[in-house]
Amino acid sequence: MRARSLDAGRFDGAIDAVRRSLAGIGEPLENAPSDLPEAILAATAEFGEKPGRMIARFADLPGSSLLWTQTGEHEFRLGKLQGPWRYDVSPEARRTGIHHVRPARWLVEAFDPSSTPEGVIEVFARGGRNLQRIHDEDAERISKLLWANGDRGGHVE
């Protein structure tokens, strides 16, 4: 979770989002939007079509979608979306550049590379800052198992 327009620390957005039980993407908009259509229009006007599409895609993800983030060089976190999109104007959002957020539950346990699905590691190794779908059946299957097993151990509140 890294904003393109703000060069915050590589893991700052993800660490903050996990701590606050959120998942999110950048970018900061000139004026805080009142709803999703306004956010998409503003992002498209300010940054181009791609950011507008990314916000729409993020907001449209099913509420039970599993997601991964990286909170350290060798630390991965598994979470699950829990609610709708909103625009975050908090000091944390301004510091990290992650303004388009959704509630998420994150497992308490962090995963090192040896316990993270290979397909997940490959996506993060590319170094992009975009929200990406992991097109790997093994990663999807293993993520579901890890969630089912890890959810018994609790999640970040």
Side-chain angles (χ1 to χ4, degrees):
M1 287 183 256
R2 295 173 68 193
R4 291 174 174 272
S5 63
L6 181 66
D7 198 20
R10 180 174 168 198
F11 307 113
D12 289 358
I15 291 167
D16 179 66
V18 169
R19 183 182 59 75
R20 297 192 304 133
S21 298
L22 298 172
I25 60 176
E27 296 297 323
L29 299 173
E30 190 173 313
N31 297 302
S34 59
D35 59 20
L36 179 60
E38 185 179 333
I40 294 167
L41 285 172
T44 301
E46 292 177 37
F47 301 107
E49 288 185 26
K50 185 176 180 179
R53 285 193 312 266
M54 286 178 57
I55 293 166
R57 193 174 97 208
F58 175 65
D60 285 342
L61 288 172
S64 60
S65 296
L66 291 177
L67 55 146
W68 285 92
T69 195
Q70 190 173 6
T71 52
E73 189 66 39
H74 302 288
E75 183 176 282
F76 298 85
R77 301 298 297 262
L78 177 60
K80 186 182 238 186
L81 289 176
Q82 297 289 294
W85 169 94
R86 71 177 171 84
Y87 189 80
D88 186 356
V89 296
S90 70
E92 293 90 344
R94 287 192 298 276
R95 182 179 62 77
T96 63
I98 305 298
H99 290 270
H100 304 274
V101 300
R102 293 180 64 178
R105 287 177 51 196
W106 296 95
L107 295 182
V108 170
E109 176 186 6
F111 297 90
D112 65 22
S114 70
S115 59
T116 302
E118 188 175 319
V120 172
I121 293 171
E122 289 172 0
V123 168
F124 282 97
R126 291 187 215 132
R129 293 184 181 208
N130 296 326
L131 172 69
Q132 298 178 39
R133 169 103 163 86
I134 298 172
H135 297 281
D136 183 298
E137 289 179 20
D138 284 339
E140 187 172 337
R141 181 182 53 76
I142 294 167
S143 297
K144 287 177 182 177
L145 287 171
L146 290 170
W147 180 262
N149 291 331
D151 197 34
R152 292 184 201 116
H155 58 275
V156 177
E157 291 292 346

